[in-house]
Amino acid sequence: MEQKNIWNKYDEETLDKVNVLSEEYRRFLDNGKTERECIDETVEAIERAGYISLQQAMEEGRSLSVGDKVYYVHMNKSIAMFQIGTKPLPEGMNILGAHIDSPRVDVKQNPLYEDKEFAYLDTHYYGGIKKYQWVAMPLAIHGVVVKKDMTTVIVNIGEDEDDPVFFISDILIHLAQEQMKKTAGQVINGEAMDLIVGSRPLKIEAKKDGEEGKDTEKEKNTPERDAVKKGILEILKRQYDIEEEDFLSAELEIVPAGKAREAGFDRSMILGYGQDDRVCAFTSLKAMLDLGITEKTVCCLLVDKEEIGSVGATGMSSLFFENAVAELLELCGGYSALDLRRCLQRSCMLSSDVSAAFDPLYASCFEPKNAAFFGHGIVLNKFTGRAGKSGSNDANAEYVAHLRGIFEKEDVSFQTAELGKVDVGGGGTIAYVLAKYGMNVIDSGVPVLSMHAPWEATSKIDIYEAYRGYIAFASDADLY
Ligand code: MN
Ligand code: MN
């Protein structure tokens, strides 16, 4: 069975829409390089579309009815949004889920130090990265510093053209004889990924004669200890009003500096950071915003911590989502434990995450009959996992059949794929977490080339087709 390239299925007018969508997508990527930034961007967009927070709905004593739109943000890193359908909630929802965390390099809690007149921020990388890809390139710092008085300083340095950028050094090739013998996993050591943030010593005026604590002869002749670090601390104090100890309660994420770009002479692709999984987050969100009235209540879930196993209070394994649905039931006429369970088990989900796109230069890692190709549309992964499907959610055949029907009816082009050849590797998504409620879940999404690299690539036409697929799925009333 052959799956086809879909670029030529569309007329010029539709291709204009493809370009408009991908331009909007690039702005989404540029404005959301961390999970917190994605949440801010999402809340802004959905509030413009008439969404109100669950909290506000509760405070105003509202009872929700068909077409009402509410959202719940958890710790500024995960969000669940709902559009109420005509059918009662216990009949289940259609859920679009994606993750908004991406592989990156995080700043440690006690990070700032000086070595041989370079000031560094010590780091610990987040998610699965090839460490050697992150050195010797311009990097930006995004995040928050929360001070003891609970004021939050928002940090975003390295994106404006006038901003400075930061970098991690690599040893020059001339002296890399030993390094080049190492296997790729060891070429860059995790502790050698510290970020260079300065090199200019603070000028410290010598104390004058008669002044208290006058410098000794020895002090006068030795350069000030950690003067570069002190210079950085002075800048941090002046520009951000933060002290060294404020790093203790900061979340600073180091990401590639710069904007997402169109790629190729034909501008058919997008090259940008964090497309795993913001490409599915964006298309799910966009589908959510463009829905008409639906029969099933539709939910869009954008969550944190997928890249490290969906753990933590803001990851999919957290009960925040179940709690939000419980609150929703209450606002829709009354919570009961049984209704909550019925609602969740009868829901259907597209666990939307990126697929590994077939890479002809690494063809041996793929089995082409069951691989995702650029330009072939939205991907359905019946299962992911590794070595004997371990760790996978394996979608039910009946569910896959139903989705085939929906996509065919709406002329959505889809392809089916596995994550690479059997026994060459693997991976997981948030699918298994929702599946524990007993609901139908399948992995779906957009193929990505160079996944988890600082700059990942996608095809514009796949982004458009995913968006159409999500609308078709969310609008369907017959699932379950
Ligand atoms: Mn992912
Ligand atoms: Mn990933």
Side-chain angles (χ1 to χ4, degrees):
M1 200 184 66
E2 208 172 343
Q3 296 171 339
K4 283 200 189 73
N5 192 294
I6 62 169
W7 272 98
N8 294 331
K9 101 174 190 187
Y10 288 118
D11 57 17
E12 281 305 315
E13 201 182 323
T14 311
L15 291 174
D16 284 345
K17 287 188 200 160
V18 171
N19 273 317
V20 169
L21 186 75
S22 70
E23 240 179 81
E24 200 180 323
Y25 170 51
R26 280 193 288 139
R27 282 199 300 277
F28 183 83
L29 288 177
D30 296 341
N31 295 332
K33 285 193 164 181
T34 67
E35 43 298 290
R36 285 173 188 266
E37 288 174 357
C38 283
I39 292 293
D40 290 346
E41 223 186 337
T42 300
V43 168
E44 205 187 298
I46 64 178
E47 284 192 341
R48 268 201 310 271
Y51 278 78
I52 62 165
S53 72
L54 266 178
Q55 183 73 24
Q56 187 188 339
M58 270 184 265
E59 281 166 8
E60 294 175 0
R62 295 205 192 188
S63 65
L64 299 179
S65 55
V66 179
D68 280 346
K69 300 164 181 178
V70 289
Y71 71 89
Y72 173 72
V73 171
H74 195 54
M75 295 181 178
N76 301 316
K77 293 179 191 167
S78 287
I79 186 169
M81 55 201 115
F82 304 91
Q83 180 180 307
I84 309 298
T86 55
K87 291 186 175 182
L89 263 175
E91 290 190 26
M93 302 181 285
N94 290 343
I95 303 173
L96 298 166
H99 69 91
I100 49 175
D101 61 317
S102 295
R104 59 176 188 255
V105 180
D106 281 346
V107 173
K108 283 187 185 178
Q109 272 196 288
N110 181 11
L112 186 62
Y113 72 96
E114 176 172 340
D115 194 359
K116 300 287 181 291
E117 291 153 58
F118 282 114
Y120 290 93
L121 288 179
D122 207 329
T123 69
H124 191 151
Y125 59 93
Y126 172 94
I129 63 169
K130 291 178 169 178
K131 288 170 280 184
Y132 65 79
Q133 292 178 332
W134 292 73
V135 298
M137 67 180 299
L139 297 167
I141 304 176
H142 291 237
V144 295
V145 180
V146 185
K147 300 199 288 181
K148 257 190 307 201
D149 65 5
M150 295 309 289
T151 53
T152 299
V153 180
I154 292 175
V155 178
N156 182 334
I157 316 163
E159 301 297 348
D160 281 348
E161 265 178 42
D162 295 337
D163 279 358
V165 292
F166 309 90
F167 62 97
I168 299 164
S169 65
D170 192 5
I171 190 69
L172 59 166
I173 184 69
H174 315 68
L175 302 181
Q177 244 177 68
E178 284 309 309
Q179 185 197 39
M180 296 303 277
K181 285 184 205 149
K182 293 181 182 172
T183 55
Q186 270 105 46
V187 163
I188 302 293
N189 184 295
E191 283 295 353
M193 291 187 74
D194 296 349
L195 191 72
I196 295 185
V197 296
S199 67
R200 176 178 166 179
L202 185 69
K203 189 170 182 185
I204 291 157
E205 300 297 333
K207 297 190 184 91
K208 296 199 183 72
D209 284 349
E211 204 174 348
E212 202 182 326
K214 183 179 175 310
D215 296 344
T216 62
E217 260 331 287
K218 189 175 165 226
E219 275 167 350
K220 269 186 204 161
N221 296 326
T222 48
E224 179 74 19
R225 197 163 168 264
D226 284 354
V228 178
K229 174 180 165 178
K230 281 177 185 152
I232 300 301
L233 282 171
E234 199 219 41
I235 292 166
L236 291 176
K237 179 70 189 162
R238 185 157 31 88
Q239 292 188 355
Y240 298 96
D241 194 27
I242 55 180
E243 318 272 350
E244 185 173 7
E245 68 171 30
D246 291 327
F247 279 114
L248 292 175
S249 47
E251 282 174 4
L252 297 171
E253 304 179 8
I254 298 160
V255 297
K259 292 185 190 322
R261 308 284 294 266
E262 292 178 301
F265 283 118
D266 56 10
R267 298 172 183 265
S268 59
M269 298 166 282
I270 303 290
L271 189 72
Y273 165 69
Q275 299 201 69
D276 173 9
D277 182 31
R278 292 174 192 135
V279 67
C280 296
F282 168 77
T283 41
S284 296
L285 170 64
K286 186 77 184 149
M288 193 74 187
L289 290 172
D290 291 351
L291 283 177
I293 295 289
T294 54
E295 291 185 44
K296 297 277 261 324
T297 290
V298 183
C299 167
C300 176
L301 260 173
L302 306 180
V303 295
D304 180 28
K305 297 284 186 288
E306 190 277 344
E307 295 295 357
I308 57 169
S310 296
V311 293
T314 55
M316 197 65 250
S317 299
S318 151
L319 292 184
F320 87 89
F321 171 61
E322 190 179 315
N323 295 345
V325 178
E327 299 283 4
L328 189 73
L329 275 164
E330 180 66 13
L331 290 173
C332 287
Y335 161 84
S336 84
L338 187 59
D339 280 349
L340 177 64
R341 284 166 190 273
R342 284 179 174 157
C343 174
L344 291 168
Q345 177 156 322
R346 291 171 179 173
S347 289
C348 290
M349 183 190 195
L350 291 185
S351 164
S352 295
D353 206 342
V354 293
S355 288
F358 185 88
D359 187 335
L361 299 182
Y362 298 90
S364 66
C365 300
F366 299 88
E367 187 272 282
K369 293 195 305 316
N370 292 282
F373 287 82
F374 262 34
H376 287 204
I378 185 172
V379 189
L380 293 179
N381 290 77
K382 187 174 182 298
F383 50 85
T384 56
R386 63 173 70 231
K389 298 187 176 180
S390 173
S392 159
N393 159 68
D394 196 344
N396 233 21
E398 287 82 350
Y399 184 44
V400 182
H402 190 83
L403 290 171
R404 285 172 59 199
I406 296 174
F407 287 162
E408 192 177 282
K409 197 172 82 197
E410 300 298 329
D411 189 30
V412 173
S413 301
F414 71 94
Q415 47 183 328
T416 56
E418 288 192 28
L419 183 47
K421 238 181 207 171
V422 178
D423 283 347
V424 301
T429 64
I430 62 172
Y432 75 96
V433 187
L434 279 296
K436 79 182 176 199
Y437 291 112
M439 70 173 77
N440 274 312
V441 185
I442 189 167
D443 282 297
S444 84
V446 174
V448 170
L449 211 58
S450 311
M451 193 194 297
H452 283 209
W455 299 98
E456 303 170 314
T458 52
S459 160
K460 286 182 181 178
I461 202 79
D462 296 331
I463 297 167
Y464 183 71
E465 210 62 4
Y467 158 74
R468 292 186 61 240
Y470 296 153
I471 289 193
F473 165 81
S475 312
D476 183 77
D478 303 326
L479 283 166
Y480 172 68

